[in-house]
Amino acid sequence: MKSVKILGAGPAGLAAAINLSQNGYNVDIFERNLDVGNNINGNLQGLENWSGDQDVIEEFKKMNIKTNFHCEPFNNLRITNSKENWDFSCERPAFYVLKRGTDNNSLDQGLKKQALDNGVNIRFGETAPISDVDIVATGGDPKFKFAVGKGISFETEHKNVAVGLVNNYHAFKGYSYLLVSNGFGCIATVLFEGFQDLNKYFKRTLDEFQSNFDLDEKYPHKFSGYGSFSNQIMKREDQILIGEIAGFQDLLWGFGIRNAVKSGFIASKSILDGKECKDYYKIAENYFKPKLNSSIVNRFIWEKFASNNYSIILNRIYNSNDPLKYLNSFHNFNFLQKLIYPFALFYMKYRYPNLKL
Ligand SMILES: Cc1cc2nc3c(=O)[nH]c(=O)nc-3n(C[C@H](O)[C@H](O)[C@H](O)COP(=O)(O)OP(=O)(O)OC[C@H]3O[C@@H](n4cnc5c(N)ncnc54)[C@H](O)[C@@H]3O)c2cc1C
């Protein structure tokens, strides 16, 4: 039997493992923590449903990923800058709310179960030298950090709600959000600059949401983390890099789960098809490069047209016939983005000197 070794049991590594093991491969995953989801424990995350051509859950099914985890569709979302509100009500889910971490119904635990059911051997509390594995799926690289986030998650009796808060008082150049799904809530702030002030912005965010929503948070606990990005896809000659360690992230808002799972699937398929590492990188480049380049342009636009607390951009999205379709066109390197790209790249290289762009 052919065997594959994977480093890291996040969504990317587990998606690759599930597909390889289903097709007769003997898969070992080295996970340095004692369980999956330990490093991102207990927060709610959004699985965005606008960057691809089909519903993300349908896409997961086609990639042999079952939804055996909490996955609540949200068609409605309020974006506010504290002065104006934009109430989006979409015909199809704008995103699905997932739990991350070690709770039974989290994405991480669901993927772990699917992998274990297929016979994957997850070696918890172990690591391995990169040169000894076939696939590297170790998540963000601090050298290429572009955003930091901090939040609390809690239990609540408040009804389901999703609110994005965008203004420079609550999250300079970033955003904050409140999500409540099925009795579980989370409030977080994400910053793209001035990381040292994260506590200050998070405190303001917390005050804002607590004074506007009767959340009565029970069992609150803190989480934090960072996102890393590169549009020069990270490569090694003899190893396949997938997920965030390869640079597959979204520089605009930091939605990385969809890319992580997709890259795990592409990696498994190229191994199953008997392709070499360099062929995987070609396929990955064709798929991801337009999305990564788009997100450089999107962040440039977001920061440059931030006047009136993003109301120009938000009005544009809100007044489009179909906001999800409109957003989709900005995630696939459209004609306008290609024109703006050289200026955006020039600006972003100066703005984020640590990133490999
Ligand atoms: C606060 C926060 C909020 C976020 N919100 C969203 C959101 O709402 N929507 C969204 O789409 N994305 C969100 N993201 C991004 C998303 O979590 C990541 O993009 C995604 O988890 C990346 O998946 P991955 O498999 O590449 O890496 P990870 O999920 O980071 O998994 C990597 C795994 O590898 C293990 N590992 C690392 N190094 C080693 C080693 N040397 N040996 C063995 N094991 C190792 C780690 O312990 C970990 O389990 C958020 C991120 C943060 C920090």
Side-chain angles (χ1 to χ4, degrees), residues 12 33 92 175 206 211 267 336:
N33 286 320
R92 58 191 179 88
Y175 60 94
L206 206 53
S211 56
L336 181 65

Side-chain angles (χ1 to χ4, degrees), residues 314-325:
L314 290 165
N315 280 331
R316 194 87 197 210
I317 301 173
Y318 188 77
N319 292 326
S320 66
N321 281 340
D322 180 342
L324 293 182
K325 209 167 164 190

Side-chain angles (χ1 to χ4, degrees), residues 8 10-12 30-33 45-46 100 127 138-139 243-244 255-257:
F30 298 90
E31 170 51 55
R32 67 178 170 194
N33 286 320
Q45 294 189 355
R100 299 295 310 269
T127 186
T138 47
E244 212 166 302
F255 287 95
I257 303 171

Side-chain angles (χ1 to χ4, degrees), residues 7-14 30-33 35-40 43-48 100 108 126-128 137-140 148-151 175 177 179 188 190 223-227 242-245 248-249 253-258 260-261 263:
L7 197 60
L14 288 166
F30 298 90
E31 170 51 55
R32 67 178 170 194
N33 286 320
D35 199 355
V36 295
N38 255 351
N39 58 332
I40 203 152
N43 64 338
L44 293 175
Q45 294 189 355
L47 180 60
E48 53 81 6
R100 299 295 310 269
D108 309 83
E126 285 189 50
T127 186
T138 47
V148 294
K150 178 184 169 86
Y175 60 94
Y177 55 90
L179 289 173
V190 183
F223 63 85
S224 59
Y226 66 88
I242 58 176
E244 212 166 302
I245 190 68
F248 303 144
Q249 244 291 10
W253 290 322
F255 287 95
I257 303 171
R258 194 170 185 169
V261 170
S263 63

Side-chain angles (χ1 to χ4, degrees), residues 45-338:
Q45 294 189 355
L47 180 60
E48 53 81 6
N49 200 23
W50 54 75
S51 71
D53 298 332
Q54 56 184 324
D55 182 88
V56 60
I57 295 302
E58 285 304 311
E59 193 182 14
F60 272 27
K61 264 190 216 150
K62 288 188 183 149
M63 295 190 287
N64 305 308
I65 305 297
K66 291 184 233 147
T67 37
N68 63 340
F69 41 83
H70 176 76
C71 176
E72 183 147 30
F74 272 67
N75 292 45
N76 300 331
L77 161 74
R78 166 169 286 191
I79 306 284
T80 178
N81 61 14
S82 292
K83 291 195 180 108
E84 273 178 277
N85 297 329
W86 291 262
D87 285 310
F88 290 91
S89 180
C90 304
E91 280 173 18
R92 58 191 179 88
F95 54 92
Y96 293 83
V97 169
L98 312 174
K99 235 182 191 181
R100 299 295 310 269
T102 53
D103 283 3
N104 263 340
N105 57 354
S106 70
L107 169 73
D108 309 83
Q109 294 296 320
L111 295 180
K112 176 178 87 173
K113 185 169 184 317
Q114 293 178 52
L116 293 175
D117 287 349
N118 287 339
V120 172
N121 180 24
I122 310 180
R123 297 164 64 161
F124 288 112
E126 285 189 50
T127 186
I130 288 185
S131 53
D132 284 3
V133 301
D134 305 287
I135 298 179
V136 183
T138 47
D141 181 339
K143 284 202 297 290
F144 306 120
K145 192 194 292 184
F146 69 94
V148 294
K150 178 184 169 86
I152 54 161
S153 57
F154 47 85
E155 289 180 23
T156 175
E157 285 175 14
H158 197 280
K159 64 177 191 234
N160 286 356
V161 67
V163 184
L165 174 61
V166 288
N167 66 53
N168 284 338
Y169 178 76
H170 292 100
F172 184 68
K173 292 194 179 169
Y175 60 94
S176 298
Y177 55 90
L178 161 69
L179 289 173
V180 176
S181 170
N182 206 19
F184 198 80
C186 113
I187 293 174
T189 301
V190 183
L191 289 187
F192 292 73
E193 192 175 308
F195 298 163
Q196 72 283 357
D197 293 327
L198 185 59
N199 285 339
K200 176 179 86 182
Y201 289 109
F202 178 62
K203 166 97 181 52
R204 289 177 179 175
T205 294
L206 206 53
D207 289 347
E208 175 81 2
F209 283 129
Q210 285 174 333
S211 56
N212 287 311
F213 294 85
D214 188 11
L215 293 166
D216 189 19
E217 306 102 285
K218 303 250 166 40
Y219 315 114
H221 85 256
K222 295 178 189 164
F223 63 85
S224 59
Y226 66 88
S228 77
F229 172 91
S230 171
N231 73 332
Q232 302 299 318
I233 297 169
M234 298 295 155
K235 296 182 184 126
R236 286 176 66 94
E237 206 171 309
D238 294 318
Q239 278 79 31
I240 286 177
L241 268 61
I242 58 176
E244 212 166 302
I245 190 68
F248 303 144
Q249 244 291 10
D250 154 40
L251 192 60
L252 175 60
W253 290 322
F255 287 95
I257 303 171
R258 194 170 185 169
N259 285 342
V261 170
K262 183 78 181 184
S263 63
F265 175 74
I266 293 176
S268 63
K269 189 152 179 351
S270 74
I271 290 175
L272 293 168
D273 291 346
K275 297 200 185 318
E276 292 177 22
C277 271
K278 62 177 183 353
D279 300 317
Y280 157 77
Y281 285 115
K282 260 188 218 149
I283 300 167
E285 190 140 340
N286 273 342
Y287 181 83
F288 286 109
K289 194 82 174 170
K291 294 193 185 296
L292 300 172
N293 287 350
S294 288
S295 84
I296 290 177
V297 176
N298 290 344
R299 174 124 291 271
F300 172 74
I301 293 174
W302 185 255
E303 294 191 7
K304 285 287 153 199
F305 294 89
S307 52
N308 295 327
N309 285 321
Y310 306 99
S311 58
I312 297 174
I313 299 175
L314 290 165
N315 280 331
R316 194 87 197 210
I317 301 173
Y318 188 77
N319 292 326
S320 66
N321 281 340
D322 180 342
L324 293 182
K325 209 167 164 190
Y326 188 70
L327 274 183
N328 176 272
S329 72
F330 279 89
H331 282 76
N332 291 291
F333 214 30
N334 65 26
F335 179 69
L336 181 65
Q337 288 179 310
K338 282 182 187 147

